[in-house]
């Protein structure tokens, strides 16, 4: 596929074929799960896709192994912004959540699947209830993922101060997993603690130079907060040239920043090209649309259903956060 339409192909989640008895050895289960965890902690679309593949094989080959199931639900949650979000995807989440919940009704893996299912349905209040109830159980009170999920749910309510504290606890409990560190950087940025956020992004990129979202967020901070236009421009252009996938709204935000930097540098031709790319990625952003129109570009929008699903999902998020 050309680079132009690469972003329009959305995958579906992979669903394990459930059989009742194990067809792979304990050694294969162990090795598959370990490799999945190694991918999971790198926190990129590509690493979560890799973890998904390995976990689906483990769950299909050893259906009773609940750890792989719990992690598969968490992977589904991370991949959700990138997939088609159609009936097939909902069915994949529901099937794994339902069967895991029945195998592990009060254990952590059944709980992960339940929380993920609720979050994907947009039932954030119910999800938060399950998270809080679980954190009050002595056996579950040191589960890093629960702290990360609680932080995410607090951030949904725009309570970044509390979110930072919970995600810090998740980082302490599982330092190798990059997602809590990335989330913390985002929350710090939103809480006007830009220097700390920048520090976090640099640390993430030292651990995983392919963390495209971290480098884009870093470039955006350099532009918006520190007004380091040249630095931001080179960080953002280098990041966007990487073939890795990041959420469309974030990619759009990066092109919008490049358009504004170009405009400040009096290069309206370049600014228009960047603004049009930003608009194509997120036509729902009024600032981008306005900029494209101002620069004499086209604001015609080709409605592709895959993209519309994502925009509806995004709209729901904006609605919840007021």
């Amino acid at each position: 596929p050309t680079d132009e339409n690469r972003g329009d192909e959305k995958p579906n989640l992979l669903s394990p074929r459930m059989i009742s008895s194990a067809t792979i050895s304990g050694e294969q289960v162990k090795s598959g799960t370990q490799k999945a965890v190694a991918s999971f902690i790198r926190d990129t679309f590509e690493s979560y896709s890799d973890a998904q593949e390995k976990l689906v094989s483990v769950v299909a080959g050893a259906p009773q192994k609940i750890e792989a199931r719990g992690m598969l639900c968490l992977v589904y949650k991370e991949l959700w912004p990138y997939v088609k979000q159609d009936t097939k995807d909902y069915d994949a989440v529901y099937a794994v959540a339902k069967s895991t919940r029945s195998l592990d009704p009060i254990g952590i893996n059944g709980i992960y699947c339940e929380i993920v299912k609720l979050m994907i349905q947009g039932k954030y209040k119910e999800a938060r209830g399950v998270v809080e109830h679980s954190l009050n159980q002595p056996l579950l009170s040191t589960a890093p993922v629960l702290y990360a999920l609680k932080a995410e749910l607090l951030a949904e309510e725009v309570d970044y101060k509390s979110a930072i504290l919970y995600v810090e606890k998740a980082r302490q409990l599982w330092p190798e997993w990059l997602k809590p560190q990335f989330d913390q950087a985002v929350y710090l940025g939103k809480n006007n603690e830009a220097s700390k956020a920048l520090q976090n992004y640099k640390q993430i990129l030292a651990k995983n130079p392919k963390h495209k979202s971290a480098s884009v967020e870093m470039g955006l901070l350099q532009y918006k907060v520190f007004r380091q236009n040249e630095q931001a421009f080179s960080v953002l252009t280098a990041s966007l040239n990487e073939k890795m996938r990041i959420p469309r709204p974030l990619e759009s935000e990066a092109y919008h920043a490049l358009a504004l930097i170009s405009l400040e540098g009096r290069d309206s031709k370049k600014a228009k090209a960047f603004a049009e790319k930003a608009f194509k990625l997120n036509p729902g952003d009024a600032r981008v649309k306005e900029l494209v129109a101002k620069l004499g570009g086209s604001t015609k929008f080709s409605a592709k259903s895959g993209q519309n699903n994502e925009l509806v999902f995004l709209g729901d998020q904006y609605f919840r956060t007021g």
Side-chain angles (χ1 to χ4, degrees):
T2 65
D3 197 47
E4 276 306 296
N5 62 17
R6 177 181 61 87
D8 290 331
E9 312 162 74
K10 294 199 153 212
N12 275 115
L13 293 172
L14 304 178
S15 204
R17 294 228 331 268
M18 303 287 188
I19 32 181
S20 49
S21 55
T23 55
I24 59 173
S25 69
E27 197 40 58
Q28 286 170 304
V29 169
K30 191 179 166 189
S31 145
T33 309
Q34 280 173 346
K35 284 176 183 164
V37 172
S39 286
F40 181 83
I41 60 174
R42 292 179 68 76
D43 185 45
T44 63
F45 164 75
E46 291 74 13
S47 70
Y48 287 122
S49 299
D50 184 61
Q52 175 186 229
E53 235 166 85
K54 293 182 169 52
L55 291 166
V56 163
S57 301
V58 172
V59 173
Q64 304 299 314
K65 291 292 170 196
I66 50 173
E67 293 80 6
R69 289 166 162 274
M71 182 158 271
L72 181 58
C73 285
L74 296 172
V75 165
Y76 281 164
K77 180 184 150 297
E78 298 311 324
L79 289 175
W80 193 253
Y82 300 94
V83 297
K84 289 192 174 119
Q85 295 174 13
D86 56 10
T87 325
K88 201 175 163 189
D89 289 332
Y90 278 100
D91 289 348
V93 176
Y94 293 168
V96 175
K98 189 179 174 189
S99 53
T100 305
R101 199 76 170 138
S102 61
L103 281 171
D104 191 30
I106 54 168
I108 191 86
N109 295 288
I111 287 166
Y112 287 158
C113 287
E114 181 65 18
I115 294 165
V116 167
K117 186 188 82 179
L118 290 168
M119 285 177 83
I120 279 169
Q121 287 174 314
K123 297 182 175 174
Y124 281 71
K125 216 170 156 183
E126 291 89 332
R128 189 170 163 178
V130 179
V131 172
E132 284 167 359
H133 176 74
S134 307
L135 281 171
N136 284 328
Q137 313 294 316
L139 284 174
L140 306 179
S141 64
T142 55
V145 173
L146 288 176
Y147 286 94
L149 289 168
K150 173 78 190 261
E152 226 172 292
L153 293 162
L154 285 162
E156 278 283 335
E157 292 172 15
V158 204
D159 182 358
Y160 298 117
K161 231 184 178 109
S162 308
I164 290 164
L165 299 174
Y166 274 93
V167 87
E168 175 59 39
K169 181 78 174 161
R171 276 186 68 180
Q172 288 166 6
L173 291 166
W174 193 1
E176 296 79 16
W177 184 27
L178 292 183
K179 182 177 159 55
Q181 190 167 357
F182 176 75
D183 285 352
Q184 188 179 40
V186 171
Y187 306 154
L188 285 164
K190 290 184 186 293
N191 202 44
N192 301 319
E193 297 179 64
S195 299
K196 284 184 185 171
L198 201 60
Q199 208 46 46
N200 267 9
Y201 291 131
K202 285 178 181 168
Q203 288 169 0
I204 291 166
L205 291 163
K207 292 176 193 167
N208 178 8
K210 289 200 178 309
H211 202 299
K212 186 171 171 175
S213 292
S215 57
V216 167
E217 290 280 12
M218 185 169 86
L220 289 170
L221 267 190
Q222 287 169 326
Y223 168 60
K224 291 178 181 173
V225 181
F226 299 103
R227 309 304 299 164
Q228 299 166 336
N229 286 17
E230 274 178 47
Q231 222 173 325
F233 192 89
S234 66
V235 167
L236 290 171
T237 43
S239 310
L240 292 168
N241 284 333
E242 289 279 344
K243 286 281 181 268
M244 321 274 291
R245 276 192 188 193
I246 56 171
R248 270 177 203 268
L250 180 59
E251 200 172 348
S252 169
E253 186 80 22
Y255 279 115
H256 182 230
L258 287 174
L260 294 174
I261 296 170
S262 302
L263 205 53
E264 285 176 39
R266 308 206 185 291
D267 188 340
S268 53
K269 194 178 168 194
K270 221 180 220 179
K272 180 183 160 188
F274 286 136
E276 286 181 329
K277 277 189 172 177
F279 178 72
K280 198 176 167 201
L281 285 158
N282 188 6
D285 190 329
R287 299 164 312 154
V288 173
K289 191 174 182 178
E290 201 178 304
L291 183 62
V292 173
K294 181 178 146 186
L295 293 165
S298 163
T299 52
K300 283 199 175 72
F301 169 49
S302 65
K304 288 203 172 75
S305 62
Q307 192 165 346
N308 287 343
N309 280 351
E310 183 170 1
L311 292 170
V312 170
F313 178 63
L314 192 65
D316 289 346
Q317 271 184 311
Y318 285 145
F319 180 74
R320 278 195 302 276
T321 56

